[in-house]
Structure formats: C-alpha cells, structure tokens
Amino acid sequence: MEKKLKVGVLGATGMVGQRFITLLADHPWYEVTTLAASPRSAGKTYEEAVGDRWKMTTPMPEKVKNMIVHNVNEVEAVASTVDFVFSAVDMSKDEIKAIEEAYAKTETPVVSNNSAHRWTPDVPMVVPEINPEHYEVIKYQKERLGTKRGFVAVKPNCSIQSYAPVLTAWKEFEPTEVVATTYQAISGAGKTFKDWPEMVGNIIPFIGGEEEKSEQEPLRLWGKVEDGVIKKATSPIITTQCIRVPVLDGHTAAVFVKFAKKPTKEQLIEKLRNFSGLPQKLELPSAPKQFIQYLEEDNRPQVSLDVNFENGMGISVGRLREDTVYDYKFVGLSHNTLRGAAGGAVLSAELLTAQGYITAK
Ligand SMILES: NC(=O)c1ccc[n+]([C@@H]2O[C@H](COP(=O)([O-])OP(=O)(O)OC[C@H]3O[C@@H](n4cnc5c(N)ncnc54)[C@H](OP(=O)(O)O)[C@@H]3O)[C@@H](O)[C@H]2O)c1
C-alpha cells in the first residue's frame, strides 16, 4: 500500500479500544489518526483520558499518548479526519446502532466489534476465513443508507470463536447437534483482576445474553445471501452454557458433536490442520498462517500455553475423542480480545481493504 489509510478508533479508551491501538501501532496499511470516546474523555489527551485504566501488557504506544480524544457523538468532526473507523464503544444497543449508521452515512466505513448490528439483515457479520462472501450484502446496505462508500460491517461474538471455525472445517460431515460449554475469560467483560477481585478463585455461571449469541451467531455465519439479506442456516442445532472463569484472556469451549455422516478421528484432525481461507490466500497482514492447530497431548489446549498461538489469531483444539452419547467431543481455545474482538475486526478490515470496500476518501 503506497500511503497508509487513516483510521479512527471509537471507544478508544476501553479495553477493546486499547487492543485496537496496540494492534494498529505498527500496522503496514493503517495509521491511527483519530481517537474518540465518551464526552467524559473528550478534550483530554489519550494518556490523561485512559489514566490508570491501561489494561494491555505492552506500554501505551508513544504516538497516541498526546493525541486529543474526540467525542464519539461529534460524528462529522471525527469522520472528516479518517478513511474508516473501528467501533468499540459501550453504549445502549439502540445508541450504537444509530451512531454506527450515522458514521456510515458520512461515507465512512465502520468495522464494528459491537453486537448491535449483528442481526441487521443487510449488515455482514464475518469471520474472514469462514464467510467472506457475506460482504456481498454491502451493496444492498449502501442502497438502504443512500451511501456510495459508507457501510457497517461487524464481527461475531468472542464466545463462538473456539468452536464455530472447528465446525466449519467439518462441514462436509454435516454436524447436526452441538452441545457447547464455554469457560470465558474476564477480559471479555472488559475487566482485569484488579477491576474484578471477586473473580479470583471464583466461577460465575451466568454471562448476560451470551448463551443466545453462542447458539445463534454460528448459524448466521453459515447462512446465505438471498434477496440482498443474510438468511441464517437452520442446522446444526446448538445448545450452550456460558460460564465466567478466573482467567484473564482466553475463552475455552468443551464441545460435543453429532454428525449426519460420521467421520473418523483422523479425517477430523486432517480437516482442522488443512483448513484455511481467503486471509491465508491473500496473505493479509493479521492472518494467522495456521488458522487451527490440533494438539495431541491430553492436557492441551491450555490457556497459559496456547492462547497466544499465531499472535492470538489462531484457534487451538485438543482432546478429540469418540463419545458414548454424541459422536465426538473436543476442547477448543481462542483469544477473546484478539481473534474474538479487536484482532478479528482488524483482519476483517484488511479483507475489506483488499477487496476494495475500504479505500482512501
Ligand atoms: N472485551 C471484550 O473482549 C469484548 C469482546 C466482544 C465485544 N465487546 C464489546 O465491545 C464494546 C467495548 O467493550 P470494552 O470491553 O472495550 O468496554 P469498556 O472497556 O467499558 O470501554 C467502553 C468504551 O466506550 C466508551 N463509552 C462508554 N460510554 C459511552 C457513551 N455514553 N458515549 C460514548 N462512548 C462511550 C468509553 O469511553 P470513556 O472511557 O470515555 O468512558 C470507552 O472508550 C462493548 O460493546 C462490548 O460488549 C467486548
């Protein structure tokens, strides 16, 4: 890319926003030129606005420290300084829907980490290795919004990334029933142990809204574009329980699967190891070389050993074995704020850039 695209981060002071800042610090295609957050942070330098809330293990990049934070609600002012934005604001669903569309209407593409638009029929919800063809609906969305280059694209919830890619790799064996229990890290709630000391040594068997997302969102990924909208798939049936565990980063899933065409264990492992998609073919900057790794050891994947596989953009799978009630069971692990949040959004933006949807204004 001759000249880097100018990017803004909405919700830059939050946990996902900080991940965006860290991931984009030395990005070959993008340069962060604008930061925005709530009116509480507006007018302060980024360093002042974040204060003691910096949650990354690497230091705050020098380049952003003295940037003045804008108010997310001043849409025109923010949009006029950038080619596109990443969105990670925490507002009500209706407010997020409205503000992301408002940015799109200023001809600014929005790549969002939020759930607000995940079921808007003409908004693509994409994992670039799984359903890049859903970006086709962008042209219908632009017609609805009356825009030429502005649109909203989203990525799915962090909880599904430990099993949806796996089930996709096994599609030809036709999974019919899936039971998944997720063991989710506290950073998924935007927290560290410092902010949430009650989580030390604790388990909480409830994460608001998470089970519905974990059961329904994979079906949207596997859906088809019909009449300008995404129609979700109807199979497999998925049931989940989502549990908060005392882990900082990394969502684990323990999964049971029944297939219409029962494969051998060797076939399943071979499909995982060979699964790759457009990001690998196009060698996008954030694409993992190996999307899914299969680990043979009985005690893997482990959060502390495997969560950063492929810079947190790869999925680790282990303990695949036959089951007495279902056909097979396995354990999957993914990084919830990298593959599951900011990293997944950056990879989506890279694919949208490679395909000409995001360009210099
Ligand atoms: N954490 C994860 O792993 C994860 C994964 C998937 C999706 N998400 C979603 O991503 C979004 C951000 O999550 P997070 O964990 O980064 O949250 P967070 O740490 O609480 O950060 C929230 C951000 O939104 C801004 N904000 C809050 N209220 C606002 C308002 N009324 N108007 C404008 N901006 C406002 C905050 O600005 P101030 O600093 O100025 O208050 C901050 O920049 C949420 O919608 C969350 O559900 C998070």
Side-chain angles (χ1 to χ4, degrees), residues 11 13-16 37-38 40-41 53 88-90 113-114 187-188 190 337:
T13 49
M15 175 165 255
V16 178
S38 81
R40 293 180 291 277
S41 300
R53 295 183 292 161
V89 281
D90 198 6
N113 190 63
N114 294 306
S187 59
T337 63

Side-chain angles (χ1 to χ4, degrees), residues 10-18 36-42 49-50 53 55 69 71-73 87-92 95-96 99 113-115 118 155-158 186-191 213 251 336-338 340-342:
L10 313 181
T13 49
M15 175 165 255
V16 178
Q18 293 175 21
S38 81
R40 293 180 291 277
S41 300
V50 172
R53 295 183 292 161
K55 295 176 186 180
V69 179
N71 178 348
V72 161
N73 302 299
S87 171
V89 281
D90 198 6
M91 299 161 88
S92 75
E95 285 172 324
I96 294 175
I99 205 149
N113 190 63
N114 294 306
S115 61
R118 287 189 195 148
K155 48 152 288 298
N157 202 49
C158 45
I186 63 170
S187 59
K191 300 276 202 318
K213 290 176 188 168
H251 289 352
N336 55 298
T337 63
L338 287 169

Side-chain angles (χ1 to χ4, degrees), residues 123-184:
V123 169
M125 178 175 81
V126 166
V127 173
E129 285 88 349
I130 295 180
N131 60 329
E133 71 283 1
H134 285 194
Y135 285 143
E136 237 181 83
V137 293
I138 289 173
K139 64 172 180 278
Y140 302 101
Q141 189 196 137
K142 284 179 179 169
E143 280 171 22
R144 173 173 63 85
L145 297 174
T147 57
K148 288 198 170 61
R149 67 187 296 286
F151 62 87
V152 179
V154 300
K155 48 152 288 298
N157 202 49
C158 45
S159 60
I160 74 168
Q161 322 264 352
S162 303
Y163 57 92
V166 175
L167 297 170
T168 307
W170 294 343
K171 227 171 169 189
E172 69 182 87
F173 306 119
E174 297 174 22
T176 52
E177 287 177 35
V178 177
V179 178
T181 304
T182 61
Y183 302 87
Q184 301 191 201

Side-chain angles (χ1 to χ4, degrees), residues 283-347:
E283 298 182 0
L284 298 177
S286 304
K289 286 202 168 44
Q290 180 77 36
F291 182 30
I292 307 177
Q293 69 168 342
Y294 184 76
L295 298 158
E296 305 278 353
E297 300 89 331
D298 283 339
N299 62 359
R300 304 284 283 278
Q302 278 181 33
V303 171
S304 58
L305 298 177
D306 303 311
V307 73
N308 290 319
F309 170 59
E310 290 279 9
N311 297 318
M313 291 297 286
I315 315 294
S316 298
V317 180
R319 303 220 62 215
L320 178 66
R321 59 222 192 272
E322 287 205 49
D323 182 54
T324 48
V325 178
Y326 289 82
D327 287 327
Y328 284 94
K329 51 191 166 190
F330 69 92
V331 175
L333 168 69
S334 63
H335 196 302
N336 55 298
T337 63
L338 287 169
R339 171 57 76 167
V346 172
L347 186 62

